């Protein structure tokens, strides 16, 4: 009854706290900051359904409710217990959430790497006393060192001297291998550092990854073999990420299992842009890992250990 059409939404961009979803109001008109666990909610101020929260109207009257989480496993981090759907900050640099026993975090500090340039030949990160995040400062150096440092990431071509303002053409591309997937089953994140961009700046790049679905059936090994490396699902499937679903279906390869204590992880991968559609009607694209070959080995990751992982095996890198 409170809805008026056509929709009239604020002209100012929505400013929400870190880790808070943008969701549609009950009229399906305007994006609002989703209410979090324990906060008051209503039809016009919905709960963050991406985190499994719902508005319980049974405890408070007059059209208001309170955001509660669906039943799920709690999370234990360094001896402290967090409830399903609960947001918390283990340090000033991380905003985390417990989602059915798994902990996911987003960084609150910009951790991009700054490349030397003629304007800033000696970049250095400095920790200030009253600030949590380090900040970049430029140190002055001699004119000769300034030029050598700034040119260190450019190709040397004796035919013609490179133009400093044409960064991408003369950039010496440096890209690390993709890190291991953050989760052994279900949707996770893989990262690498690259300067393959118009600014020739080293930046952190992420992609979604799924080594195997958590409900993936264990396949029988062939006679004489102890591992099933890269099985395919019998039917095509849609990927789900943060409450949104891929617009097309896929039949990807996953990493299988072994009967001798080894684990199978991705070894050769490719990266594909996948389009997702959200219940609110939004579309977005994310890079996602697709497995070509898995390898079976004893250097296994420790499950659900995102802070103290000792797992160092890496995937062979690729370009989109």
């Amino acid at each position: 009854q409170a809805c008026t059409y056509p929709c009239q939404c604020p002209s100012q961009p929505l400013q929400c706290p870190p880790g808070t979803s943008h969701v549609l109001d009950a009229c399906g008109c305007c994006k609002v900051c989703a209410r979090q666990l324990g906060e008051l909610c209503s039809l016009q101020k919905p709960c963050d359904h991406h985190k499994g929260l719902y508005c319980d109207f049974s405890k408070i009257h007059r059209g208001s409710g309170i955001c509660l989480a669906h039943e799920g496993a709690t999370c234990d981090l360094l001896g402290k217990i967090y409830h399903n759907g609960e947001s918390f900050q283990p340090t000033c640099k991380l905003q985390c959430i417990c989602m059915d026993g798994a902990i996911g975090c987003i960084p609150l500090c910009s951790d991009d790497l700054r490349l030397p340039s003629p304007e800033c030949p000696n970049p250095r990160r400095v920790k200030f006393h009253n600030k949590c995040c380090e900040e970049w400062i430029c140190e002055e150096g001699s004119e000769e060192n300034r030029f050598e440092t700034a040119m260190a990431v450019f190709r040397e071509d004796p035919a013609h001297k490179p133009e400093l303002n044409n960064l991408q053409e003369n950039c010496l591309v440096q890209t690390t291998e993709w890190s291991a997937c953050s989760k052994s089953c279900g949707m996770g994140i893989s990262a690498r550092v690259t300067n393959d961009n118009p600014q020739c700046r080293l930046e952190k790049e992420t992609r979604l990854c799924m080594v195997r679905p958590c409900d993936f059936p264990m396949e029988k090994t062939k006679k004489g073999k102890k591992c099933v490396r890269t099985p395919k699902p019998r039917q095509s499937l849609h990927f789900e990420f943060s409450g949104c679903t891929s617009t097309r279906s896929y039949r990807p390869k996953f990493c299988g299992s072994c009967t001798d204590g080894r684990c199978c992880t991705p070894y050769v991968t490719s990266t594909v842009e996948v389009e997702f559609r959200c219940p609110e009607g939004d579309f977005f694209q994310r890079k996602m890992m697709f497995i070509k070959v898995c390898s079976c080995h004893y250097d296994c990751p420790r499950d659900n250990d995102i802070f103290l992982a000792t797992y160092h095996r890496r995937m062979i890198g690729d370009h989109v």
Side-chain angles (χ1 to χ4, degrees), residues 220-233:
K220 292 182 179 179
T221 55
K222 293 180 181 178
K223 190 174 182 181
K225 292 203 170 186
K226 296 182 178 179
C227 293
V228 179
R229 276 202 315 185
T230 49
K232 268 190 173 184

Side-chain angles (χ1 to χ4, degrees), residues 114-307:
R114 184 162 185 173
L115 208 62
S117 67
E119 296 79 20
C120 186
N122 298 308
R124 187 164 64 92
R125 296 190 81 165
V126 176
K127 178 76 173 72
F128 291 98
H129 176 67
N130 57 344
K131 294 184 179 179
C132 173
C133 302
E134 294 91 355
E135 294 185 7
W136 286 106
I137 63 167
C138 295
E139 289 187 340
E140 291 296 328
S142 68
E143 202 66 32
E144 185 179 350
N145 288 341
R146 172 181 297 192
F147 183 75
E148 288 178 0
T149 308
M151 293 298 291
V153 295
F154 293 95
R155 295 191 185 93
E156 290 190 17
D157 187 350
H160 63 278
K161 292 183 180 180
E163 294 287 337
L164 282 177
N165 58 358
N166 195 351
L167 291 175
Q168 198 166 21
E169 182 179 339
N170 300 302
C171 182
L172 181 61
V173 174
Q174 303 171 73
T175 304
T176 66
E177 306 293 357
W178 286 105
S179 68
C181 194
S182 62
K183 295 184 73 173
S184 57
C185 75
M187 195 68 80
I189 298 290
S190 176
R192 69 178 179 183
V193 175
T194 181
N195 66 339
D196 191 7
N197 53 62
Q199 293 76 34
C200 193
R201 280 186 58 181
L202 284 171
E203 293 178 342
K204 189 175 181 181
E205 184 180 38
T206 60
R207 65 177 180 176
L208 300 175
C209 54
M210 185 184 289
V211 178
R212 64 184 64 83
C214 290
D215 57 355
F216 199 53
M218 301 285 281
E219 295 211 0
K220 292 182 179 179
T221 55
K222 293 180 181 178
K223 190 174 182 181
K225 292 203 170 186
K226 296 182 178 179
C227 293
V228 179
R229 276 202 315 185
T230 49
K232 268 190 173 184
R234 291 185 175 87
Q235 295 179 335
S236 59
L237 54 87
H238 288 268
F239 294 115
E240 291 189 5
F241 173 64
S242 190
C244 307
T245 306
S246 62
T247 54
R248 55 163 289 195
S249 61
Y250 297 87
R251 195 162 174 257
K253 288 182 178 178
F254 294 120
C255 289
S257 56
C258 299
T259 57
D260 59 357
R262 285 184 289 173
C263 52
C264 287
T265 57
Y267 181 60
V268 180
T269 68
S270 63
T271 305
V272 176
E273 289 275 359
V274 175
E275 185 179 60
F276 289 87
R277 186 180 190 279
C278 302
E280 296 86 8
D282 285 356
F283 289 86
F284 66 89
Q285 287 189 328
R286 288 293 301 269
K287 292 175 184 174
M288 184 162 180
M289 174 192 81
F290 278 77
I291 297 169
K292 291 185 175 180
V293 179
C294 296
S295 65
C296 299
H297 49 84
Y298 289 104
D299 182 20
C300 297
R302 290 160 59 180
D303 288 339
N304 199 29
D305 194 355
I306 62 173
F307 293 105

